[in-house]
Each structure stands twice: as structure tokens, then as C-alpha cells.
Amino acid sequence: MADGPVAELLLRRLEASDGGLDSAELAAELGMEHQAVVGAVKSLQALGEVIEAELRSTKRWELTAEGEEIAREGSHEARVFRSIPPEGLAQSELMRLPSGKVGFSKAMSNKWIRVDKSAADGPRVFRVVDSMEDEVQRRLQLVQGGQAEKLGEKERSELRKRKLLAEVTLKTYWVSKGSAFSTSISKQETELSPEMISSGSWRDRPFKPYNFLAHGVLPDSGHLHPLLKVRSQFRQIFLEMGFTEMPTDNFIESSFWNFDALFQPQQHPARDQHDTFFLRDPAEALQLPMDYVQRVKRTHSQGGYGSQGYKYTWKLDEARKNLLRTHTTSASARALYRLAQKKPFTPVKYFSIDRVFRNETLDATHLAEFHQIEGVVADHGLTLGHLMGVLREFFTKLGITQLRFKPAYNPYTEPSMEVFSYHQGLKKWVEVGNSGVFRPEMLLPMGLPENVSVIAWGLSLERPTMIKYGINNIRDLVGHKVNLQMVYDSPLCRLDAEPRPPPTQEAA
Ligand code: FB9
């Protein structure tokens, strides 16, 4: 047992003590580092009930390094006094002494010395008294001798103000005999070996008590990032609601599917560099379904299907421009177009959860990319009421019941609604998504039947994840600054359960 001798010493002292002993006092008596005694206490504690050790924090006064030096060499003012010969000393010279500056003013205020400013070759310092008591040194030595209590509060605070004394909190152990106390400590067995059993020697061997509360070693395993944990819960919700996942395995999209197919006009502000990342190479999409493209072109430029369109010159080159998709609604457009090619029309429920990219100003909750969650339902005669209904069902599964719908605008849905929920924890209405009924100018050119309408909604994955895990800055959730420990320790947060309180500093 490493610190055997200290442990044995401690046990013998305990045997001799009445009732117990303080680890710091024992260290002082044994003239050893307190840490050594603490080590022995800890190893004796590990042996089970040999000793009881109660952690106490005692405040005590300790000299600072300067305090130590003064206790040894005397106070600055005393040194100044001692350095003045009967014929006095030039003030300039005195000030050059190591304790000059500090000592001079203290010695002056103690009226031990005086300055003759009119002296011939400049101010000269003289003693006023023949001798003086270096009270400061005496008091510091008292403390050094463990008799700090002999000093009055005023004296103590004066020394503390001069940064010669400091109050330190010492964590000490009050050690007392345990139920299995003995002065001889024999090494305790930690394994029950076949020999012990066959020889029966286990009967008289002391065994280390099993600590059934000991935490097992966490098996080394992979860790799902919180975003992916929440993504799988959203997936679960959609699958439970009978939705099918849309393919979204293409971060690069053509302006056609990302904008034009959604009846978003080519001069729409979202289509310029400030909001969208366009590609230099491959700059253009070559494969576009040209018959459908013609119908989209006519709808944008002249209208049709009862719409007057946007009355502008629609350019194919603009539609060919490749970009990083700004929403997964482009995947919805592709899916709805594929659906329209299948006759007769069959109602569908689609969802997607994947990365989208926006050239937006970065702030605590916005990065240049996030994960969009989108739900799409296509069927005959769907209305805004159906959309509100499916939104209620969806958010209820998220544990969000109090919903409000606020009219909004999207180029590809009319009517459109922003969805708000009252957030108990944040005590305010939070925007939890956007939604709408896809415009006929989007659906009919695809070839979908007249009486088929498509309702859809979208939200982000990052926002609910940040709220669930109590994360305020998106950089603590995503990116190179993420502290992996947060990922390792992030429990599976049930979306429909109360959000976790934000990790406090020490927990973190
Ligand atoms: O996620 C968002 N908010 C949100 C969602 C869930 C949530 O859960 C909590 C656990 C309780 C909390 C908050 N928003 C959408 C709302 C805001 O955060 C918004 O400021 C930011 N939005 C992103 C876009 O930012 C430019 C979130 C993202 C968003 C917005 C709209 C859509 C998708 C994502 C859409 C759509 C759409 C509309 C009609 C048809 C098809 C798709």
C-alpha cells in the first residue's frame, strides 16, 4: 500500500487519540505535507470501514510570499529605519533601497523618521526615535507559528490589505475510527481465486468490500450527434403518420428545380448571389425535361391554368444555373413531377430531412447551412383546413399542442401560413415553421390533375434540437467548435418531453 508508513502512523495516532484527529494538525505534528496525510486517509478509506473520514473545510490565515519574506527579513519600514545612520541618509539614496519606497512612507506614518527638505545636498532622512518595534514582522511570525488568533481583526485586516496575509480555506479530514478499525492494515484481497476456494484460505483473508455503486466503464461506442438523434425522431413521427421519405441525395440543384419549377420568378431576390450559392463548375444543368420546361416557361412568362403568370421574358440559361439547394422543396418538386407522370394519380404523403444552403448573414442561430424538414401531402381537394389539421397532428407528436397560424407569403404556395407554438420554457410564442398550399402554376405544368391540391410545410432541424438540448449558440451544436463531450453526454432527448435545462458550467 503506497503510503503505508503514513497510514500506519495515522492509525497509531488515531488509536492514541480520543475521538479522532484532524489531518492538517497531524501533518503539522508529523512535519509532513498535508497532501501526504490526505493520500493515506484516501487509501485507508478505500479499505472499507477501517476509518471514518469527514471532509471539513477550515479557514485559516496564511502568509503570502511577501509575508513570508517579511517574517524572515523584517518589514520594509523596519529595514528602512535600520538603514538610516545617525547622520541621516539622502532621501534619493534611501529610495533606491529595495524596501525604500514602501518602507519610507510606512516609517514616516509610524513617525519613526523625518525628512529635512532643506538639507544642503537635497532632502535628507533622519531617525526620530532611537529604536522601534517591528510589529508587522512580529505579527506575521505569530501567524507563522499558528497563533493567528492572537491578532485582532484590525491587525489582521491591515496585514491582509498589505497583501502580507491571506485567508485560505483548507479542506481537511476529521478522521475517526471506523467499524473495522485496526492499527494493522493487511492488504485486502480483491479477487476470489480458485486456489483460495480450493485451499479454503479465503476464510481468513480480508476481502476489499464490493462497491456495487461503482459506475461501470462506459463501453467505447460511436455517438450519434444530437442533430441526428432528433432527425431520427422526426423520421419516426413521419413514418408513424404514413409518410414516405423523398430522395434528397443531391446538394447541388439546378435553378430550374430549386426555383422555376416552384413558380418562383427569375428576378426574385432569393435568386441572386446574396441569398444563394451558385456554382462556377459545373455552372449549368444540362439534363432538364424540356417538354415540362416549356410549360414552366409559358406559365412564368404568359401564365395559363387560369393564372396571368409574371409577364416577363423567362430565360432557359437562368434556369440552367447550378446552385447549392436553398430548400428541400426542390426535392418535393422533383417528387411531385415524378408523381404526375404516373397515371392514374394516387394520393401520397412525402417527407424529407436534409441539408440546405443559404448565403445568409451568420449569427448565433444561423449558419450558411441547416437541415430542412419538409412534409408534403398530395390528394384530391385538399384545403387549408387539411393543412392545419395535419400540422396539428405533426406538432402534437412533437409535444407541441398550442399552435397559432399567421398568414405568410411564399412564391410557391398560396395561401401560406407561418406556424407558431407557445413555448412553456421560453414563456413566448416561437415560430416553429412555415407552410402553404402549392400554387396551381407549380402543379399543373407538372401534369397533376386539376382537382389535386398539395399542402406542405417546413421547419428546421437545428432549432428544435437547440431548444431540446438547451443550446443557445448554433456553433455549440454544429461545426468545428462543437465540444465532442457534449455529443458523448447528450442523452436521447425525447422531442415530446419537457426540454432539458441548459448544461450548467460544471456539468458541462
Ligand atoms: O424551424 C423553425 N422553428 C422551430 C421549429 C421547431 C421547434 O421545436 C421546438 C421544440 C419545440 C422550434 C423552432 N423555423 C423554421 C422557424 C424559425 O426558426 C425561422 O426563424 C428560421 N427558419 C429557417 C429558415 O430560415 C431562413 C426555420 C427554417 C425554415 C423555414 C421555413 C421552411 C423550412 C425551414 C419552410 C417551408 C415550406 C413552406 C411551404 C411549403 C413547403 C415548405
Side-chain angles (χ1 to χ4, degrees):
M1 196 165 115
D3 31 46
V6 186
E8 267 133 38
L9 265 175
L10 187 154
L11 289 175
R12 273 203 296 287
R13 285 300 179 95
L14 196 50
E15 174 73 2
S17 76
D18 54 354
L21 53 81
D22 174 82
S23 56
E25 281 153 19
L26 178 65
E29 283 155 31
L30 298 176
M32 65 173 65
E33 279 306 306
H34 181 229
Q35 221 29 51
V37 174
V38 170
V41 169
K42 287 225 166 84
S43 58
L44 286 171
Q45 277 183 307
L47 293 182
E49 312 308 316
V50 177
I51 62 168
E52 293 293 327
E54 180 211 332
L55 186 59
R56 289 181 175 178
S57 57
T58 50
K59 290 204 173 314
R60 65 188 211 157
W61 293 99
E62 254 182 26
L63 274 55
T64 61
E66 188 186 359
E68 299 278 352
E69 192 242 347
I70 287 180
R72 227 182 13 265
E73 315 292 336
S75 65
H76 301 301
E77 55 273 33
R79 283 181 247 179
V80 162
F81 181 82
R82 279 196 285 270
S83 65
I84 301 168
E87 69 278 8
L89 183 66
Q91 182 169 4
S92 54
E93 198 176 328
L94 184 144
M95 287 306 187
R96 274 196 296 282
L97 293 175
S99 306
K101 281 203 185 45
V102 184
F104 174 76
S105 55
K106 281 309 283 181
M108 285 294 284
S109 59
N110 294 353
K111 303 206 176 349
W112 293 350
I113 62 176
R114 65 179 175 79
V115 180
D116 171 5
K117 290 201 184 326
S118 59
D121 44 11
R124 198 165 183 80
V125 182
F126 295 88
R127 289 184 181 189
V128 172
V129 293
D130 299 338
S131 68
M132 53 73 205
E133 272 307 306
D134 188 349
E135 269 305 305
V136 172
Q137 181 183 36
R138 187 183 66 73
R139 290 172 191 154
L140 290 171
Q141 286 167 345
L142 262 183
V143 175
Q144 227 171 14
Q147 299 168 318
E149 68 294 338
K150 285 243 177 53
L151 296 186
E153 176 43 38
K154 198 169 96 28
E155 289 149 349
R156 258 206 306 272
S157 65
E158 196 205 302
L159 290 172
R160 192 219 317 249
K161 264 205 291 310
R162 289 182 66 175
K163 296 201 175 5
L164 304 178
L165 197 55
E167 188 176 36
V168 293
T169 309
L170 186 67
K171 295 226 178 302
T172 68
Y173 283 93
W174 177 253
V175 185
S176 53
K177 293 180 182 161
S179 55
F181 177 79
S182 81
T183 51
S184 68
I185 34 182
S186 52
K187 186 167 159 3
Q188 292 182 313
E189 300 300 340
T190 54
E191 296 304 322
L192 181 60
S193 64
E195 299 70 47
M196 286 179 183
I197 295 172
S198 52
S199 66
S201 67
W202 63 271
R203 285 189 206 310
D204 48 25
R205 308 279 315 110
F207 277 86
K208 190 169 175 8
Y210 281 99
N211 169 2
F212 296 107
L213 302 171
H215 283 295
V217 178
L218 274 183
D220 221 356
S221 69
H223 298 269
L224 261 186
H225 183 286
L227 266 181
L228 299 183
K229 286 176 182 158
V230 176
R231 180 174 72 174
S232 59
Q233 289 183 59
F234 273 105
R235 268 216 174 96
Q236 193 49 36
I237 288 170
F238 276 115
L239 296 173
E240 279 164 15
M241 294 172 70
F243 281 66
T244 311
E245 185 155 18
M246 288 180 268
T248 53
D249 53 351
N250 63 315
F251 291 171
I252 294 168
E253 184 57 282
S254 63
S255 293
F256 177 78
W257 286 111
N258 196 80
F259 292 125
D260 297 279
L262 301 176
F263 195 56
Q264 190 149 349
Q266 293 188 336
Q267 69 285 32
H268 188 285
R271 295 183 70 155
D272 67 20
Q273 317 277 358
H274 307 316
D275 286 338
T276 300
F277 296 107
F278 286 92
L279 264 68
R280 178 172 306 112
D281 176 25
E284 291 209 332
L286 308 172
Q287 304 308 347
L288 290 176
M290 292 321 291
D291 58 339
Y292 169 41
V293 170
Q294 289 318 314
R295 292 196 296 274
V296 169
K297 170 179 178 150
R298 194 177 53 258
T299 311
H300 279 244
S301 51
Q302 299 138 25
Y305 314 103
S307 165
Q308 62 177 9
Y310 294 118
K311 300 275 182 286
Y312 71 95
T313 314
W314 186 89
K315 299 189 194 64
L316 179 56
D317 301 355
E318 183 61 33
R320 283 194 186 289
K321 286 183 180 167
N322 278 331
L323 44 80
L324 292 182
R325 64 173 175 221
T326 61
H327 47 200
T328 55
T329 316
S330 52
S332 305
R334 285 172 175 274
L336 290 168
Y337 175 72
R338 277 192 301 277
L339 174 70
Q341 309 324 301
K342 287 199 223 109
K343 306 291 182 199
F345 167 80
T346 50
V348 293
K349 295 192 275 191
Y350 292 153
F351 80 92
S352 64
I353 306 176
D354 211 331
R355 283 181 190 216
V356 298
F357 308 85
R358 297 192 181 179
N359 186 0
E360 275 170 345
T361 47
L362 308 184
D363 62 20
T365 58
H366 282 88
L367 287 172
E369 63 181 76
F370 68 91
H371 290 77
Q372 175 169 344
I373 300 168
E374 178 144 321
V376 175
V377 182
D379 200 345
H380 299 288
L382 291 179
T383 66
L384 199 62
H386 290 99
L387 177 56
M388 291 176 171
V390 77
L391 284 170
R392 282 193 193 292
E393 192 188 347
F394 175 77
F395 280 105
T396 302
K397 287 182 178 288
L398 273 178
I400 297 175
T401 49
Q402 272 188 290
L403 285 184
R404 273 192 185 158
F405 301 115
K406 176 174 170 243
Y409 170 79
N410 297 311
Y412 38 87
T413 52
E414 187 55 44
S416 309
M417 307 187 296
E418 275 168 358
V419 186
F420 286 78
S421 92
Y422 186 75
H423 203 283
Q424 301 305 344
L426 305 170
K427 292 273 172 287
K428 63 178 180 162
W429 285 89
V430 174
E431 184 193 347
V432 290
N434 190 311
S435 65
V437 181
F438 282 136
R439 299 182 71 108
E441 293 95 331
M442 168 185 167
L443 304 178
L444 298 175
M446 292 175 170
L448 284 168
E450 282 278 332
N451 60 4
V452 164
S453 50
V454 181
I455 55 178
W457 73 95
L459 61 158
S460 77
L461 181 62
E462 282 73 6
R463 294 295 298 128
T465 306
M466 288 170 73
I467 291 177
K468 278 295 160 195
Y469 285 87
I471 295 170
N472 305 325
N473 185 319
I474 191 146
R475 283 164 191 70
D476 299 333
L477 177 67
V478 179
H480 63 287
K481 291 208 188 111
V482 166
N483 137 13
L484 286 180
Q485 200 52 43
M486 176 278 284
V487 174
Y488 300 160
D489 314 349
S490 63
L492 185 59
C493 247
R494 290 201 45 64
L495 274 174
D496 53 0
E498 275 313 304
R500 293 181 64 75
T504 56
Q505 208 35 39
E506 53 278 346

